[in-house]
Amino acid sequence: MVQWFSAPVEKIKGTVNVPGDKSISHRALILSGLTLGNSLIKGLSTAEDVIKTKNSMEAFGVSFTTNLNNDLEVFGCGVGGLREPCDFLDLGNSGTSTRLIMGMSTTQPMTLHLSGDQSLRKRSMQALIHHLTNLGAQITAKSNYFLPLTITGTNFTLPSTHFIHPPSAQIKSALLLAALNIEGETTIIESQRTRDHTEIMLQNFGVPLHIETSETGQKIKLNGRCDLQKCTLSIPGDFSSAAFLIVAALLLPGSEITIEKVGINPTRIGLLSLLKKMGGKIILEHSQTISGEDQATIHVKSSKLKAITVPDSYVPITIDEYPILSIAAVYAEGTSIFHGLHALRNKESDRLTTLAHRLSQCGIKATITHDSLTIHGQSKRPYGGEIIDTSFDHRIAMSFLIFGMMTESGITLNEIDSIKTSFPNFIDTMNELGAEISCIT
Ligand code: S3P
């Protein structure tokens, strides 16, 4: 069996780019596919999850070509113009592809069969199924609301109001996509504000939204059955990918890195403010807004970190960054506590349990109380030497490769294939900066 080893290193240095934002890439493929006419996407992520969305949109009749600049030209079918796929859709590891496509299909008169890999087939679709059945979709899933599932949509849906709690950007986005083919005004209320890429992009495609934001969340109103206008989108680098590099540079003394053109949408960068509060030296430069999304160049210098207590209000804006934040906490002075992590249990693995187990395996004191994770910072480098089972979770895999760099004797992983789902060139990027991650057989 092939294993991967991350050796201890002194520091990392250099300037790099990260792949296009995965969340924005999914939305760009779907919304351009729902547009009549040609759209252009620049900087699309090459992650496997995104390829699953692209393949699915092709099955609905959308066509894509890559031009000489390596940008993607999309020939969409229009909101009501999708055709029923003739085979089941394989969504691989991608929960986002699954949920967004289910939302989109709910108001299309067609039947779809969806499945995915072993990990995706263990993720509950219960909350989404509840909302979409209220819109008239007929859904049959395996027990526990798992994939494979069959969904039959309808275009006779009446407009309605949806309250989303606990917060989920995927559910909000699925409902917004469904609303595009509903005559009249659909209202979506979020109990807490989540990433707003769908709202931003809908407006890029000329769909008017009425949004009321308050301290407790937001209310979005969308009038369906309007045409999407073709547009050109530029996708910034993925902050959730940059997060691994940022933490590695903070933790390894003498490190200094620059990451160019990274998305810094305020609904995504909880980790940035937490790391700064912990004492991280992180500077943003060249901020600009492109296709409605904020982006900047991020400079990071190694820093001595202090422990932090993170309230549950941070969950929606930090959701995918708890694995790498946990690695930062291992090297921070004091005890860190992260609250309100229930949503982590239904990610690519049960991330709350996986994190606590794998950290404990490495001799770090990490405990779960209800939905909170407590991590005791180490005063010296942990010894390392363990073989970590990633549970085929890309963010667990990348976090423990970073962890290995700070140990005395390195860390081995049972696989790294999962990393292709979000950051296909992660190993090359890290090694370019000075990491020593290699394959052992
Ligand atoms: C995503 C939203 C988040 C995040 C996921 C991607 C999205 O999930 O964890 O990786 O693209 O909308 P939630 O549905 O829990 O917000």
Side-chain angles (χ1 to χ4, degrees):
M1 197 177 66
V2 180
Q3 296 181 324
W4 286 76
F5 180 64
S6 178
V9 292
E10 292 289 308
K11 59 172 181 246
I12 57 171
K13 268 193 187 300
T15 299
V16 287
N17 288 287
V18 287
D21 186 277
K22 185 157 77 82
S23 274
I24 301 179
S25 295
H26 287 298
R27 288 149 170 87
L29 291 166
I30 294 174
L31 290 182
S32 57
L34 293 174
T35 303
L36 270 179
N38 310 355
S39 297
L40 192 68
I41 308 176
K42 296 168 181 280
L44 189 80
S45 160
T46 50
E48 266 178 9
D49 280 7
V50 173
I51 294 171
K52 293 295 178 190
T53 295
K54 182 166 170 264
N55 293 347
S56 303
M57 292 310 287
E58 270 172 333
F60 285 109
V62 177
S63 45
F64 300 97
T65 55
T66 305
N67 70 16
L68 292 174
N69 299 323
N70 224 11
D71 301 329
L72 192 70
E73 285 179 23
V74 187
F75 307 91
C77 301
V79 169
L82 299 178
R83 69 162 189 238
E84 183 178 78
C86 49
D87 205 345
F88 83 98
L89 300 181
D90 169 16
L91 299 162
N93 192 249
S94 181
T96 310
S97 312
T98 308
R99 297 199 174 96
L100 300 194
I101 285 170
M102 283 174 69
M104 178 186 84
S105 317
T106 283
T107 49
Q108 309 283 337
M110 56 175 72
T111 295
L112 292 184
H113 306 285
L114 308 181
S115 195
D117 72 7
Q118 258 191 42
S119 144
L120 187 63
R121 282 188 270 125
K122 282 194 207 129
R123 293 177 67 179
S124 171
M125 298 294 154
Q126 180 173 16
L128 181 64
I129 289 176
H130 165 76
H131 285 284
L132 300 185
T133 341
N134 282 345
L135 282 176
Q138 288 174 32
I139 304 175
T140 4
K142 291 278 281 186
S143 49
N144 299 320
Y145 305 91
F146 288 166
L147 263 54
L149 64 74
T150 299
I151 171 165
T152 302
T154 167
N155 55 2
F156 290 114
T157 310
L158 295 172
S160 50
T161 298
H162 305 264
F163 180 67
I164 306 176
H165 181 78
S168 161
Q170 293 181 344
I171 293 181
K172 169 180 65 179
S173 304
L175 290 170
L176 284 168
L177 293 173
L180 284 174
N181 205 25
I182 299 175
E183 181 91 57
E185 190 175 80
T186 297
T187 304
I188 297 167
I189 303 166
E190 298 192 277
S191 62
Q192 255 179 292
R193 206 166 157 225
T194 59
R195 63 185 69 185
D196 60 357
H197 305 306
T198 312
E199 295 92 302
I200 291 176
M201 201 178 290
L202 279 166
Q203 295 177 70
N204 284 331
F205 280 96
V207 178
L209 295 179
H210 180 80
I211 304 179
E212 284 167 33
T213 307
S214 69
E215 274 192 7
T216 51
Q218 68 173 0
K219 188 191 270 188
I220 310 164
K221 291 183 176 178
L222 186 155
N223 242 306
R225 296 268 166 90
C226 57
D227 286 335
L228 275 67
Q229 288 146 26
K230 63 180 188 173
C231 78
T232 296
L233 296 168
S234 282
I235 301 181
D238 197 329
F239 179 79
S240 295
S241 297
F244 298 98
L245 284 53
I246 295 173
V247 170
L250 287 176
L251 298 182
L252 283 164
S255 296
E256 194 166 348
I257 63 162
T258 300
I259 317 167
E260 292 178 322
K261 295 184 185 164
V262 184
I264 51 158
N265 178 317
T267 62
R268 286 289 294 282
I269 53 169
L271 178 80
L272 211 56
S273 58
L274 293 173
L275 291 173
K276 282 186 180 174
K277 284 184 191 177
M278 292 169 84
K281 292 179 199 138
I282 305 170
I283 294 171
L284 303 188
E285 256 183 18
H286 309 307
S287 298
Q288 51 181 326
T289 305
I290 302 180
S291 303
E293 292 282 353
D294 297 342
Q295 57 171 261
T297 295
I298 303 182
H299 298 286
V300 191
K301 272 190 185 172
S302 62
S303 317
K304 194 101 199 72
L305 300 185
K306 299 183 296 287
I308 193 162
T309 295
V310 183
D312 54 10
S313 56
Y314 267 85
V315 171
I317 57 170
T318 317
I319 183 83
D320 292 335
E321 279 61 77
Y322 284 98
I324 192 61
L325 179 63
S326 303
I327 303 300
V330 169
Y331 295 92
E333 191 191 332
T335 301
S336 294
I337 311 178
F338 311 147
H339 291 295
L341 304 189
H342 182 73
L344 264 64
R345 295 191 182 276
N346 196 26
K347 294 296 173 190
E348 285 79 334
S349 67
D350 170 352
R351 272 191 190 148
L352 187 50
T353 309
T354 315
L355 273 171
H357 279 178
R358 305 298 181 269
L359 287 172
S360 307
Q361 183 192 344
C362 297
I364 313 297
K365 204 167 162 218
T367 49
I368 300 172
T369 319
H370 305 296
D371 290 333
S372 301
L373 179 63
T374 302
I375 297 173
H376 294 259
Q378 302 287 295
S379 49
K380 59 182 176 67
R381 278 187 172 224
Y383 185 71
E386 291 78 17
I387 301 177
I388 298 293
D389 176 354
T390 67
S391 295
F392 206 77
D393 182 332
H394 56 132
R395 302 204 196 277
I396 296 290
M398 290 185 273
S399 297
F400 279 87
L401 288 172
I402 302 292
F403 176 76
M405 295 163 70
M406 329 298 162
T407 57
E408 293 287 346
S409 59
I411 284 287
T412 301
L413 298 194
N414 66 329
E415 67 84 32
I416 58 147
D417 270 1
S418 56
I419 297 176
K420 291 186 201 142
T421 63
S422 68
F423 194 165
N425 55 342
F426 174 76
I427 307 280
D428 290 344
T429 305
M430 286 310 300
N431 286 348
E432 197 186 311
L433 289 171
E436 289 173 22
I437 303 172
S438 57
C439 177
I440 46 175
T441 40

